[in-house]
Amino acid sequence: MKRMGILESITSYPPLNLQPNEQQTIKVFKQSSPSVVNIDTFRGSAVLPNVEVPLGTGSGFVWDDFGHVVTNFHVIRQANPDSIAVTVIQPDGERVTVKGTIVGVDEDKDIAVLKLPLLDPNRRSYNWAPISRPHGSFSPNGAENVIPRLPLCVGQTAVAIGNPYGLDHSLSVGVVSGLNREVRAPTGRPIEGVIQTDAAINPGNSGGVLLDSSGRLIGMNTAIYSTSGGSSGIGFAIPFDTLAYSVPNVIRSGRVVRPILGISYLETNRAALLGITRGVLVLDVPGGSPCEEAGLRGTKKRGDGGVSLGDIIVSFDGNRIDREADLFKYMESHKVGDAVTLGVRRVVEEVEEVRKGRV
């Protein structure tokens, strides 16, 4: 009888009997991993001049063949712009760390775009592996016609790849737990249409990819809901539709220009303490602004120490406004300079008045 060595006996075992869904997950991970990058950020030391200290780590992914990498704005927000290190896996498995240059950001959607060098003195070129997207590749100038809304279903498989706690290219699998959620951008502005998932997302996963079962990008992991700081089964991802609008604009012009009314307002939760259950309370209307010209009134202190509440915006172009998120949602359907109609309730007079202004 032939006696086999240890190595020979191990390698002679039949392959693992993997189920079809396991084989598909493995395929997605192998296919998508080269597109996911690790981002290390640094900032100057407050003690030692000309010395930089590590700030944090995050994730990102290769957007196109031109070396653009997408990540969260909050990942690079406090970093020295000249000290962002991006580690990429080449198709041949080699790990390469290069400098990432900030192309631009969309703070209101927590999106940032970096540019990787295409050429290096030590090698002829790098081979970037763009993530698989539902609607093909964008052109260099960011022009592309995309389907307005990527159809998703609660319960479909969601695959997250990122670098939690610095552990590069970690995979977690779950489902789409909810749709049309809302999270806050670093600017405080709400991000609408966010995907909720129970795929484990932890610190360091920010900027990583959320994929469907075919390996196509459906969102960028951005936040977790947790009291401990670790995954609690509630993670959030910025949807592909938002990325498809913001990223090409950032690549083209370095930023995304959105209309604003120019007023300051009181957040809905705080307004409720004043008995305001619907609408957006105007706090201040800058002098010379279109809203002042339209006659909107802000909140003011009275001589007796009390407060005279300002106008409450209750509709936008005929659409009901219950909270500030509604206001931002309807504004995003307009361009700068568009004329809009605001329905306001003037507290003193207890009547609804219509005011016209420009955003």
Side-chain angles (χ1 to χ4, degrees):
M1 178 183 295
K2 178 182 177 183
R3 300 183 62 181
M4 296 186 296
I6 295 178
L7 179 61
E8 184 181 357
S9 64
I10 292 176
T11 56
S12 64
Y13 283 134
L16 294 175
N17 185 24
L18 300 175
Q19 298 300 310
N21 62 322
E22 295 176 298
Q23 296 177 21
Q24 180 61 24
T25 300
I26 293 171
K27 178 182 177 181
V28 168
F29 180 72
K30 289 182 176 179
Q31 167 189 303
S32 305
S33 286
S35 304
V36 180
V37 307
N38 184 77
I39 298 175
D40 292 287
T41 57
F42 303 84
R43 64 180 174 187
S45 171
V47 179
L48 300 174
N50 302 321
V51 173
E52 292 188 330
V53 296
L55 179 61
T57 63
S59 306
F61 56 93
V62 181
W63 180 259
D64 56 26
D65 293 320
F66 307 99
H68 291 109
V69 165
V70 178
T71 187
N72 282 134
F73 168 60
H74 75 256
V75 169
I76 56 99
R77 184 180 190 179
Q78 298 179 340
N80 181 339
D82 295 323
S83 301
I84 300 176
V86 181
T87 302
V88 192
I89 295 181
Q90 298 289 278
D92 59 6
E94 179 184 0
R95 294 174 183 270
V96 178
T97 299
V98 296
K99 175 183 176 181
T101 303
I102 299 177
V103 174
V105 299
D106 182 0
E107 300 101 321
D108 290 334
K109 299 300 180 184
D110 198 15
I111 295 171
V113 179
L114 308 177
K115 183 73 163 58
L116 304 182
L118 294 179
L119 297 175
D120 184 84
N122 299 321
R123 57 190 298 162
R124 185 171 61 86
S125 66
Y126 293 125
N127 297 314
W128 311 128
I131 197 71
S132 175
R133 297 199 302 270
H135 311 305
S137 298
F138 286 99
S139 62
N141 64 1
E144 182 190 22
N145 293 320
V146 298
I147 297 175
R149 179 64 60 180
L150 176 65
L152 296 175
C153 299
V154 173
Q156 74 176 80
T157 298
V159 179
I161 303 177
N163 308 294
Y165 300 110
L167 302 173
D168 67 296
H169 294 85
S170 294
L171 170 77
S172 58
V173 181
V175 297
V176 172
S177 305
L179 299 171
N180 298 317
R181 303 306 194 205
E182 179 186 308
V183 299
R184 291 277 177 176
T187 59
R189 195 162 180 166
I191 305 176
E192 300 280 347
V194 171
I195 303 167
Q196 178 188 332
T197 180
D198 67 347
I201 296 175
N202 287 288
N205 270 115
S206 291
V209 295
L210 190 68
L211 311 170
D212 64 12
S213 58
S214 298
R216 298 176 302 179
L217 180 69
I218 60 175
M220 175 173 65
N221 300 321
T222 188
I224 57 174
Y225 179 82
S226 172
T227 56
S228 64
S231 175
S232 60
I234 302 179
F236 299 101
I238 297 173
F240 172 78
D241 310 298
T242 301
L243 298 172
Y245 175 80
S246 293
V247 173
N249 279 284
V250 172
I251 292 175
R252 183 167 53 246
S253 58
R255 61 195 180 107
V256 177
V257 178
R258 291 188 173 87
I260 60 173
L261 288 174
I263 61 172
S264 63
Y265 62 90
L266 188 65
E267 293 183 352
T268 301
N269 291 340
R270 295 177 61 190
L273 300 177
L274 300 176
I276 300 173
T277 58
R278 177 200 165 198
V280 176
L281 174 65
V282 178
L283 290 181
D284 182 55
V285 180
S289 67
C291 285
E292 185 193 45
E293 295 176 3
L296 259 69
R297 297 179 185 176
T299 300
K300 297 180 180 180
K301 288 186 178 180
R302 297 196 305 262
D304 60 2
V307 175
S308 294
L309 297 180
D311 290 335
I312 300 174
I313 300 174
V314 294
S315 68
F316 185 99
D317 279 348
N319 298 294
R320 179 186 174 101
I321 300 295
D322 290 319
R323 55 198 182 111
E324 67 267 23
D326 300 328
L327 192 60
F328 287 123
K329 177 175 68 175
Y330 292 120
M331 278 199 297
E332 289 200 354
S333 64
H334 288 272
K335 303 186 299 294
V336 174
D338 283 353
V340 299
T341 300
L342 301 178
V344 302
R345 181 165 65 88
R346 185 150 289 168
V347 177
V348 175
E349 301 173 357
E350 290 296 332
V351 297
E352 288 197 4
E353 299 181 1
V354 174
R355 295 287 182 265
K356 293 182 180 294
R358 292 184 180 274
V359 293

